Amino acid sequence: MPPPKSTDNDRGYDVVIVGAGIAGMACGVALARRGVRRIRIVEKARALRPVGAAIGLFPNGLEALRLISPRVHDRVVASAIPNESYQMKDLDGTLIRDTDMSKSSMVAPTYLVWYLLQQYLAEELPEGALILGSSFESYRIADDDRMKVRVSTRNGGDTTETEYTCRVLLGADGINSMVRSQIFGERDLVYHGKMMFRAVLDLATCSIDEGVCPPTGTSVGYQGDEKGKLFSFRETAEGILTFTAMSVFDKPELLAGEGARMARLKQIFEEYPSDVQHILDCTQPSALYENAVYDIEVEDAWSKGAVLLLGDAAHAMTPGLGQGANQGLEDACELAGALAPVLLSGDSHEGGTANSVTTALELFWRSRIERLKKVHAASRSRTASVNRWSKERPLNIQKDSDVSFLDDLYGWKPSASLPV
């Protein structure tokens, strides 16, 4: 293989971000709004496709998004359908409970489609910042103390390697972070006894029968006697139905083929009502996203020199509290506030000076780590409770929640807010 070619950017980049998920994209947007324009985001996916799942943004995540980009925040709020009612039904259709959110003390998230948020953020990036189809391979410190980041791009059977020069490398590449592996070594993933199955359906093209999709603003879930097993669905955005299904597995069993994954999901929920069967029949196998529920222990340090982890790369958590994307947005907002002034000042020296890049990165994660450890532990606890949940033993979120913890969680404010 030929040696990696250098980029044509003689000055290099201020920041190279590995991973174009929510945390990585949001960080790029936040830094750009602060005036840092020499940004490169490297993403291994070859295209940003309309697949994935619904995600929920709670008040803390929405506030972070508003500070990162008011325009993206407003587009999210405009596209989301507010949840007015949560209905849980037995497998025979009997209504177990119907929660009117206008009369509930529960804090409901703003549900949206993951790929729409990714798309909205991508449109706010500096032109040419995002490079798709490229995988992070490694980084090194050159003789001039600048960082060299090596990425590979596959074109058919050929692989091209490119080396980017940058001042800061941000690993936002998820729970299986390659950046984390290089700076801290391999980390064990902790399995939490459950598999999740999710999909996004376009109501205009998937031929859902009338009456199957719940009324606008209503989420419907079906649950039987089997603990930890649930199928829920809603119209998450206008014309877009999403479903989330879960089932307990002693061991994670990820299947390779799209057809095999869909066949297994239909078998798991074969005793569920006809509405569920119809939704699954209308779901293209390629639209199904399945994953085993893992997390990692929150890293004790998130940076090494001018390399930093954020989002799931630093603190991947279970979906118990629905806080994964929200905490990634908090990370992006806080990091931009800490890092952008240093990058714009031109001070990139190693050491302990107040304006150094390394000091800024360390101050960022030290200000975040205790909060993340609390959220991470609470999310694990909630997931364990959900795994024991059935119609006979429903999870009472209001009763089982620490009110002061949730007040602190949802009431987050940044230590250095972005300009509005």
Side-chain angles (χ1 to χ4, degrees), residues 11-74:
R11 297 176 62 198
Y13 294 94
D14 286 315
V15 179
V16 170
I17 301 172
V18 180
I22 300 306
M25 294 280 247
C27 190
V29 172
L31 287 167
R33 285 195 67 235
R34 280 275 187 156
V36 180
R37 308 296 295 182
R38 290 186 289 135
I39 298 170
R40 172 67 84 215
I41 301 179
V42 177
E43 168 56 43
K44 64 183 178 181
R46 296 187 178 184
L48 302 183
R49 299 173 54 227
V51 296
I55 62 171
L57 294 187
F58 286 89
N60 56 310
L62 278 175
E63 175 64 7
L65 183 60
R66 184 186 70 82
L67 293 168
I68 290 166
S69 172
R71 181 159 47 188
V72 172
H73 170 274
D74 291 348

Side-chain angles (χ1 to χ4, degrees), residues 79-81 111-113 116 203 234-242:
S79 71
I81 296 176
Y111 284 107
L112 66 149
V113 182
L116 285 179
L203 292 173
R234 69 184 67 82
E235 186 178 7
T236 300
E238 185 176 357
I240 298 177
L241 182 142
T242 64

